[in-house]
Amino acid sequence: SQQGEEDPQALSIQEGENATMNCSYKTSINNLQWYRQNSGRGLVHLILIRSNEREKHSGRLRVTLDTSKKSSSLLITASRAADTASYFCATDAKSFGNEKLTFGTGTRLTIIP
Amino acid sequence: NAGVTQTPKFQVLKTGQSMTLQCAQDMNHEYMSWYRQDPGMGLRLIHYSVGAGITDQGEVPNGYNVSRSTTEDFPLRLLSAAPSQTSVYFCASSSGTSPYFGPGTRLLVL
């Protein structure tokens, strides 16, 4: 079964607005990662946050992690048309080298020009 | 570096046929994994390997076999294809940090 559930399942916003998507997971984790997938393409790694971190930034991306609530959020600021994609969170509960990721169901983000 | 390569890109099989999906990486990564992605879903782990000669099952291993005779290659074998195995298959490799994913193999079983 999927470890994570993402909310919302789909999100449409105007270009320039901020997009926020959430991920919840079930078991204790070492790390949580966010990936982007353009339609019909492979996955692109966006950001990794460790279980002892609460917030992390990378460019226009901001990720928060609340291990007490088993949840994470991904904020994309100043959205662009190129941000249109599906976004997945992935956790690695017990693995040596991220070889056993458990993915959420994804949020489909559409940026309206 | 080519990164993670997968062949073929697309394959059509008839029910009962067998085939091997190829995955190769040139980054000397110890860890490799196979996932499948069904429409509208996230990826689910099929099998993984933590080094040459070592493999283990993931969440959805039934109907698939793997082997890891070299560090570079991690083929996925479908023993007797079923329509339920219609999916997109992704291979990934890592060295302890975030994994690199291949471009995927789209498989249709009729």
Side-chain angles (χ1 to χ4, degrees):
Chain A
S1 62
Q2 305 272 167
Q3 157 87 306
E5 295 292 331
E6 283 161 82
D7 171 53
Q9 289 187 333
L11 177 64
S12 293
I13 60 173
Q14 295 288 332
E15 190 169 17
E17 293 182 338
N18 296 343
T20 299
M21 53 204 84
N22 304 295
C23 166
S24 62
Y25 56 92
K26 298 176 183 175
T27 62
S28 297
I29 61 171
N30 292 327
N31 306 296
L32 186 143
Q33 305 178 54
W34 284 90
Y35 288 85
R36 184 185 73 228
Q37 184 179 38
N38 292 90
S39 181
R41 301 289 187 88
L43 280 80
V44 174
H45 181 260
L46 296 176
I47 196 165
L48 179 151
I49 186 165
R50 302 190 188 283
S51 59
N52 61 354
E53 298 177 312
R54 293 297 168 257
E55 187 172 312
K56 202 161 183 181
H57 297 255
S58 177
R60 295 183 296 113
L61 305 180
R62 172 178 169 256
V63 169
T64 62
L65 178 64
D66 187 335
T67 53
S68 66
K69 295 181 180 179
K70 292 186 172 57
S71 67
S72 174
S73 67
L74 171 67
L75 168 67
I76 303 174
T77 61
S79 62
R80 305 168 181 170
D83 294 329
T84 293
S86 291
Y87 292 81
F88 296 91
C89 66
T91 56
D92 57 341
K94 293 180 182 178
S95 68
F96 298 102
N98 289 305
E99 75 280 7
K100 295 171 56 179
L101 295 181
T102 304
F103 283 81
T105 52
T107 292
R108 184 180 300 274
L109 176 65
T110 302
I111 307 299
I112 304 166
Chain B
N1 286 352
V4 180
T5 58
Q6 292 183 237
T7 57
K9 291 183 179 179
F10 181 70
Q11 183 73 45
V12 180
L13 289 179
K14 294 181 180 179
T15 297
Q17 288 185 315
S18 62
M19 79 160 294
T20 299
L21 279 62
Q22 301 291 343
C23 174
Q25 53 95 3
D26 61 358
M27 297 171 283
N28 202 33
H29 285 171
E30 294 177 73
Y31 312 113
M32 297 186 74
S33 310
W34 275 104
Y35 296 84
R36 61 177 286 175
Q37 184 179 30
D38 299 318
M41 301 279 289
L43 279 66
R44 291 183 295 167
L45 181 65
I46 305 172
H47 285 285
Y48 65 96
S49 169
V50 299
I54 306 170
T55 63
D56 205 346
Q57 297 180 351
E59 179 186 353
V60 287
N62 292 343
Y64 307 95
N65 273 355
V66 292
S67 59
R68 185 96 180 271
S69 57
T70 67
T71 300
E72 294 78 18
D73 300 298
F74 192 41
L76 178 71
R77 298 181 187 85
L78 278 70
L79 308 174
S80 177
S84 61
Q85 294 179 303
T86 293
S87 190
V88 182
Y89 292 83
F90 290 98
C91 179
S93 75
S94 70
S95 61
T97 56
S98 304
Y100 292 81
F101 281 84
T105 293
R106 189 172 296 272
L107 177 67
L108 175 61
V109 183
L110 301 175

